[in-house]
Amino acid sequence: MREILPALAGWHAAGIPFGLATVVEVSRSAPRGPGAAMGVGPDGEVVGSVSGGCVEGAVFELAQEVVASGEPRLQTFGYSDEDAFAVGLTCGGEITVLVRPVTAASDPAFGAVAASVAAGEPVTVATVVDGPAPRGATLAVWPVRAAGTLGAIGLDVAVTADARGELALGASALRHYGPHGQRREDAVAVFLESFAPPPRMLVFGAIDYAAAVARIGDFLGYRVTVCDARPVFATPKRFPAAVEVVVDWPHRYLRGTATDDRTVICVLTHDPKFDVPLLEEALRRPAAYIGAMGSRRTHEERHARLAEAGLAEAELSRLRSPLGLDLGARTPEEVAVSVAAEIVALRWAGSGAPLTTTTGAIHAAAAH
């Protein structure tokens, strides 16, 4: 949804009705997760995708129908192997898609939501999927305000509280309530889609490897900052336009920078005078990933210096060093792929092993 919001916001601002299809539930090896979205606008223009191509044609037709009728539709697509010409997923999974019409009258807060997402302001959108409530009704929830209604005051109150909880985690989920927000009932299904600000990636050491890591971090959706104390290396022209470049001592910059459980920290300086004070600071603060470049000998020496600095074994165990998965990488770009692979594997509790050597579900439950 985040990627297609600018196009959708343009249609909304121009008063042009469009159909919005959103994946609200998946099972087994579904091609895309909850929140994947496709918009169908004027003259049949399409943005986004709900399945990577498997059922887009059917969803396109549904979107045109709901715009014409004004009535939202809920459709489930599963694996169809009995009829080669039937619409279905080829992967064996199942997705449930809510397709709803969006107009200025039906969703007046849509523009405000799009503006908040563009500005990096957190917001959650709650949408009625099924049950005794107006299907397709939306409630936009910010940390200190809300807009819209799901049709009942009690339902709005309960969903607002849950939406703020999901927003704090940066998570999206399908929740169930009673018609008036009762917690122990499941009559009304509501999809909570959170748009938390992009997670941070902090890259220390403005070397060639940092440029490659910054590029792949930007590609993965991180807000990337590269920091180095040496102004001759920390120049914006050496990095992608979307990457922030800071000239400062790494540990001093990190000390003044907020991090959270989604933050990625990559230490590529492999120089003790930078590494040790920087890692001493990093390993004592929240972060999803802390990795440091260097040989195994460098790692051992660095580990000893950090222990001497007073870090406990539990803190030292958070350090991924040498960073990256064993891909046999040589070039900066290959090393960046190795680092990104380790970050993704850690995020989703992946093994890092070739899929041909593993069994069971390809997309396991999220680690967090």
Side-chain angles (χ1 to χ4, degrees):
M1 175 68 87
R2 189 185 295 272
E3 288 75 14
I4 68 174
L5 264 177
L8 303 183
W11 295 339
H12 189 270
I16 300 171
F18 59 90
L20 178 59
T22 306
V23 176
V24 296
E25 192 170 23
V26 304
S27 66
R28 299 190 299 278
S29 185
R32 302 200 68 191
M38 184 176 94
V40 178
D43 301 320
E45 182 180 355
V46 176
V47 293
S49 168
V50 294
S51 72
C54 299
V55 300
E56 263 63 17
V59 174
F60 173 81
E61 293 180 2
L62 275 175
Q64 290 186 313
E65 290 173 9
V66 302
V67 171
S69 68
E71 296 295 327
R73 297 271 297 277
L74 188 67
Q75 184 72 49
T76 297
F77 298 93
Y79 183 55
S80 178
D81 60 352
E82 296 181 358
D83 182 353
F85 294 99
V87 174
L89 304 179
T90 60
C91 59
E94 186 175 276
I95 62 172
T96 300
V97 182
L98 174 67
V99 188
R100 66 183 180 94
V102 179
T103 66
S106 68
D107 198 345
F110 192 92
V113 169
S116 289
V117 174
E121 299 169 353
V123 60
T124 294
V125 177
T127 306
V128 174
V129 172
D130 202 7
R135 179 177 286 165
T138 60
L139 174 67
V141 180
W142 289 266
V144 296
R145 64 187 176 100
T149 180
L150 303 182
I153 294 176
L155 183 59
D156 288 347
V157 170
V159 170
T160 296
D162 288 348
R164 289 187 174 133
E166 297 293 343
L167 190 58
L169 298 172
S172 298
L174 187 66
R175 293 289 189 92
H176 295 84
Y177 305 87
H180 298 284
Q182 299 94 326
R183 297 284 182 180
R184 297 185 179 183
E185 298 185 23
D186 60 0
V188 181
V190 179
F191 183 59
L192 305 180
E193 185 171 13
S194 296
F195 297 93
R200 298 287 305 272
M201 174 182 279
L202 307 177
V203 182
F204 294 97
I207 59 176
D208 289 345
Y209 291 96
V213 170
R215 283 194 296 272
I216 204 164
D218 177 57
F219 177 75
L220 290 175
Y222 288 93
R223 181 161 68 92
V224 182
T225 298
V226 175
C227 175
D228 197 305
R230 302 164 296 182
V232 67
F233 294 113
T235 60
K237 68 180 181 180
R238 299 182 64 228
F239 298 92
V243 173
E244 177 189 29
V245 179
V246 173
V247 179
D248 199 353
W249 277 83
H251 71 282
R252 184 168 61 192
Y253 173 76
L254 183 58
R255 189 174 298 148
T257 300
T259 64
D260 59 27
D261 290 337
R262 301 184 302 152
T263 303
V264 165
I265 299 174
C266 297
V267 179
L268 310 182
T269 48
H270 51 82
D271 183 331
K273 69 175 177 290
F274 294 120
D275 290 359
V276 173
L278 171 59
L279 289 170
E280 186 178 354
E281 176 69 29
L283 292 169
R284 286 174 169 156
R285 58 168 54 229
Y289 175 92
I290 303 171
M293 177 177 280
S295 66
R296 299 196 187 281
R297 178 178 177 180
T298 297
H299 167 68
E300 291 173 0
E301 293 175 350
R302 190 161 46 206
H303 188 281
R305 289 172 182 265
L306 289 168
E308 290 174 2
L311 270 77
E313 190 57 39
E315 295 168 325
L316 292 170
S317 67
R318 300 176 62 205
L319 179 60
R320 317 287 290 196
S321 175
L323 81 176
L325 296 186
D326 181 12
L327 305 182
R330 295 291 188 273
T331 68
E333 291 73 21
E334 290 174 345
V335 169
V337 171
S338 166
V339 173
E342 183 177 40
I343 291 169
V344 172
L346 187 63
R347 177 182 180 185
W348 299 110
S351 67
L355 288 173
T356 54
T357 67
T358 65
T359 59
I362 293 175
H363 300 113
H368 55 273

